[in-house]
Amino acid sequence: MSLLTTTLAYVGLTVVSTAIVWKGSALLEASTEKLSAYYQIPPLVQGSVVLAVGSSFPELSTAVLSAALHGDFELGVAAVVGSALFNILMIPALAGLFTTERLESSRDLIYKETQFYLISIVVLLLVFSFAVIYNPIPGGPGARTGAVTRGLALLPLALYGVYVYLQYQDTRAYQPDEAPEDIHLPKQAGVLVGALLIILLGVEGLLRSALAFGDLFNTPSFLWGITVVAAGTSIPDAFVSIRASRSGNAITSVANVLGSNIFDLLVCIPAGALVAGTVAINYSVGVPMMGVLSLATLIVLLALRSQMVLTTAEAWGLIALYVAFVVWMGVETIGTVDLIPNLPPVATP
């Protein structure tokens, strides 16, 4: 089979896998929305926890499957970080551009959700630092590599428990205006489980495509994870937020983005370590990527805080930033620029 034919086959697999993830996530979203209405969960909590966890299941599957089945934890980390960047830059921009009204935010959303998200980045950096300091392992020339154990993985998971507890406090004080929605619980449970299985199938196809592209073009799977897999797994978040903003629920739309990223960092990445036991993390690459993610978050925070709305110009600016990031990853990989000496990461022996 020629290179062109093989490439087209895996491009087709990427497209089909993305469609499968989208379909599974649509079913998952519909089920979680009905369950949220049944249990009368506040809109902010619905967006930041219920919808966020549901729409982030592709990222969780990516981290677990890449570590457990493919032995490539860095592919999972790259996909999760790339997804977080797509979420924080592209989704608010798309939601703002496709809504009939301006995408509005609130002080509670900005000062509570965004600040907790920044704390999540700091905690994950601490986990990577502890791995390098206390569990160093040989890496490439000039690289700093450490082992993330199950014990270290419990730290961000514990912080996510605190986040869920804080959201639970909001549900206790919530007084709904409408009666609980009447649903068939066993049916919705079946839809929920079926959606999760569909998403797993689609994510596995995306991972296989990323690994194949790396082999075909002699490039690290990190590049394809942080671009192709990340965008593919972020599509559910994008549709959730766009639909929420078009229906007039801007708070739910933005809360879903921040809640998804908090879940990605505090649950998805540690989940790979919990499943595999011990995984290697390239600190020399992980820290700069976390720095880029922090900068992107601050930019979005400033954009949302200005007049408490996201303008059209700001939305296009966020899209331009994400495109610049993707281009930067490409030129770093082929060696045109070398702003991060250890990017692409060298495989750990």
Coordinates of all heavy atoms in Angstrom, one line a residue, residues 262-295:
I262 N -11.0 22.0 34.0 CA -10.7 21.5 35.3 C -10.7 20.0 35.4 O -9.8 19.4 36.0 CB -11.7 22.2 36.4 CG1 -11.4 23.7 36.5 CG2 -11.5 21.5 37.7 CD1 -12.4 24.4 37.3
F263 N -11.7 19.4 34.8 CA -11.8 17.9 34.8 C -10.7 17.3 34.0 O -10.1 16.3 34.4 CB -13.2 17.5 34.2 CG -13.4 16.0 34.3 CD1 -13.9 15.4 35.4 CD2 -13.2 15.2 33.2 CE1 -14.2 14.1 35.5 CE2 -13.4 13.9 33.2 CZ -13.9 13.3 34.4
D264 N -10.3 17.9 32.9 CA -9.2 17.4 32.1 C -7.9 17.3 32.9 O -7.2 16.3 32.8 CB -9.0 18.3 30.8 CG -10.1 18.1 29.8 OD1 -10.9 17.2 30.0 OD2 -10.2 18.9 28.9
L265 N -7.6 18.4 33.6 CA -6.3 18.5 34.3 C -6.3 17.7 35.6 O -5.3 17.0 35.9 CB -6.0 20.0 34.6 CG -5.8 20.9 33.4 CD1 -5.5 22.3 33.9 CD2 -4.8 20.4 32.4
L266 N -7.4 17.7 36.3 CA -7.4 17.1 37.6 C -7.8 15.7 37.6 O -7.5 14.9 38.6 CB -8.3 17.9 38.6 CG -7.9 19.3 38.9 CD1 -8.8 20.0 39.9 CD2 -6.4 19.4 39.4
V267 N -8.5 15.2 36.6 CA -9.0 13.8 36.5 C -8.4 13.1 35.4 O -7.9 11.9 35.5 CB -10.5 13.8 36.5 CG1 -11.0 12.4 36.4 CG2 -11.1 14.5 37.7
C268 N -8.5 13.6 34.1 CA -8.1 12.9 33.0 C -6.6 12.5 33.0 O -6.2 11.3 32.7 CB -8.4 13.7 31.7 SG -10.2 13.9 31.4
I269 N -5.7 13.5 33.2 CA -4.3 13.1 33.2 C -3.9 12.2 34.4 O -3.2 11.2 34.1 CB -3.5 14.5 33.3 CG1 -3.6 15.2 32.0 CG2 -2.0 14.2 33.6 CD1 -2.9 16.5 31.9
P270 N -4.4 12.4 35.6 CA -4.1 11.4 36.7 C -4.6 10.1 36.4 O -4.1 9.1 36.9 CB -4.7 12.1 37.9 CG -4.8 13.5 37.6 CD -5.0 13.6 36.2
A271 N -5.8 10.0 35.7 CA -6.4 8.7 35.4 C -5.4 7.8 34.7 O -5.4 6.5 34.9 CB -7.7 8.9 34.7
G272 N -4.7 8.3 33.8 CA -3.7 7.5 33.0 C -2.7 6.9 33.9 O -2.3 5.7 33.8
A273 N -2.2 7.6 34.9 CA -1.3 7.1 35.9 C -1.9 6.0 36.8 O -1.3 5.0 37.2 CB -0.7 8.2 36.8
L274 N -3.2 6.3 37.2 CA -3.8 5.3 38.0 C -4.0 4.0 37.3 O -3.9 2.9 37.9 CB -5.2 5.8 38.5 CG -5.2 7.0 39.5 CD1 -6.6 7.5 39.7 CD2 -4.6 6.6 40.8
V275 N -4.3 4.0 36.0 CA -4.5 2.8 35.3 C -3.2 2.1 35.0 O -3.1 0.8 35.2 CB -5.3 3.1 34.0 CG1 -5.3 1.8 33.1 CG2 -6.7 3.6 34.3
A276 N -2.2 2.8 34.6 CA -0.9 2.2 34.2 C 0.0 1.9 35.4 O 0.9 1.1 35.3 CB -0.2 3.1 33.2
G277 N -0.3 2.5 36.5 CA 0.6 2.3 37.7 C 1.6 3.4 37.9 O 1.6 4.2 38.8
T278 N 2.5 3.5 36.9 CA 3.6 4.5 36.9 C 3.8 4.9 35.5 O 4.0 4.1 34.6 CB 4.9 4.0 37.5 OG1 4.7 3.6 38.9 CG2 6.0 5.1 37.5
V279 N 3.8 6.2 35.2 CA 4.0 6.7 33.9 C 5.0 7.8 33.9 O 5.2 8.5 34.9 CB 2.7 7.3 33.3 CG1 1.7 6.2 33.0 CG2 2.1 8.3 34.2
A280 N 5.8 7.9 32.8 CA 6.8 8.9 32.7 C 6.3 10.2 32.1 O 5.4 10.3 31.2 CB 7.9 8.4 31.8
I281 N 6.7 11.4 32.7 CA 6.3 12.7 32.2 C 7.6 13.5 31.9 O 8.5 13.5 32.7 CB 5.4 13.4 33.3 CG1 5.0 14.8 32.7 CG2 6.2 13.6 34.6 CD1 4.0 14.6 31.6
N282 N 7.6 14.1 30.7 CA 8.7 14.9 30.3 C 8.5 16.3 30.8 O 7.7 17.1 30.3 CB 8.8 14.9 28.8 CG 10.1 15.5 28.3 OD1 10.7 16.4 28.9 ND2 10.7 15.0 27.2
Y283 N 9.2 16.6 31.9 CA 9.0 17.9 32.6 C 9.4 19.1 31.7 O 8.9 20.2 31.7 CB 9.9 17.9 33.9 CG 9.6 19.0 34.8 CD1 8.4 19.0 35.6 CD2 10.5 20.1 35.0 CE1 8.2 20.1 36.5 CE2 10.2 21.1 35.9 CZ 9.1 21.1 36.7 OH 8.8 22.1 37.6
S284 N 10.4 18.8 30.9 CA 11.0 19.9 30.0 C 10.0 20.3 29.0 O 10.1 21.4 28.4 CB 12.2 19.4 29.3 OG 13.2 18.9 30.2
V285 N 9.0 19.5 28.7 CA 7.9 19.8 27.7 C 6.6 20.2 28.5 O 5.9 21.1 28.1 CB 7.7 18.7 26.7 CG1 6.5 19.0 25.8 CG2 8.9 18.4 25.9
G286 N 6.4 19.4 29.5 CA 5.1 19.6 30.3 C 5.0 21.0 30.9 O 3.9 21.7 30.8
V287 N 6.1 21.6 31.4 CA 6.0 22.9 32.1 C 5.8 24.0 31.0 O 4.9 24.8 31.3 CB 7.3 23.1 32.9 CG1 7.3 24.6 33.3 CG2 7.3 22.2 34.1
P288 N 6.5 24.0 29.9 CA 6.2 25.1 28.9 C 4.7 25.0 28.4 O 4.1 26.0 28.2 CB 7.2 24.8 27.8 CG 8.3 24.1 28.5 CD 7.7 23.3 29.5
M289 N 4.2 23.8 28.2 CA 2.8 23.6 27.8 C 1.8 24.2 28.8 O 0.8 24.8 28.5 CB 2.5 22.2 27.5 CG 3.2 21.6 26.2 SD 2.8 22.5 24.7 CE 4.2 23.6 24.5
M290 N 2.1 23.9 30.1 CA 1.3 24.4 31.2 C 1.4 26.0 31.2 O 0.4 26.7 31.5 CB 1.7 23.9 32.5 CG 1.4 22.4 32.8 SD -0.4 22.0 32.8 CE -0.6 21.2 31.3
G291 N 2.6 26.5 30.9 CA 2.7 27.9 30.8 C 1.9 28.5 29.7 O 1.3 29.6 29.9
V292 N 1.9 27.9 28.6 CA 1.0 28.4 27.4 C -0.4 28.3 27.8 O -1.2 29.2 27.5 CB 1.3 27.5 26.2 CG1 0.3 27.8 25.1 CG2 2.7 27.7 25.7
L293 N -0.8 27.2 28.5 CA -2.2 27.1 28.9 C -2.6 28.2 29.9 O -3.7 28.8 29.9 CB -2.4 25.7 29.5 CG -3.8 25.3 29.9 CD1 -4.8 25.4 28.7 CD2 -3.9 23.9 30.4
S294 N -1.7 28.5 30.8 CA -1.9 29.6 31.8 C -2.1 30.9 31.1 O -3.0 31.7 31.5 CB -0.8 29.6 32.9 OG -0.7 28.4 33.5
L295 N -1.2 31.2 30.2 CA -1.3 32.5 29.4 C -2.6 32.6 28.7 O -3.2 33.6 28.7 CB -0.1 32.6 28.5 CG 0.0 33.8 27.6 CD1 0.0 35.1 28.5 CD2 1.1 33.8 26.6

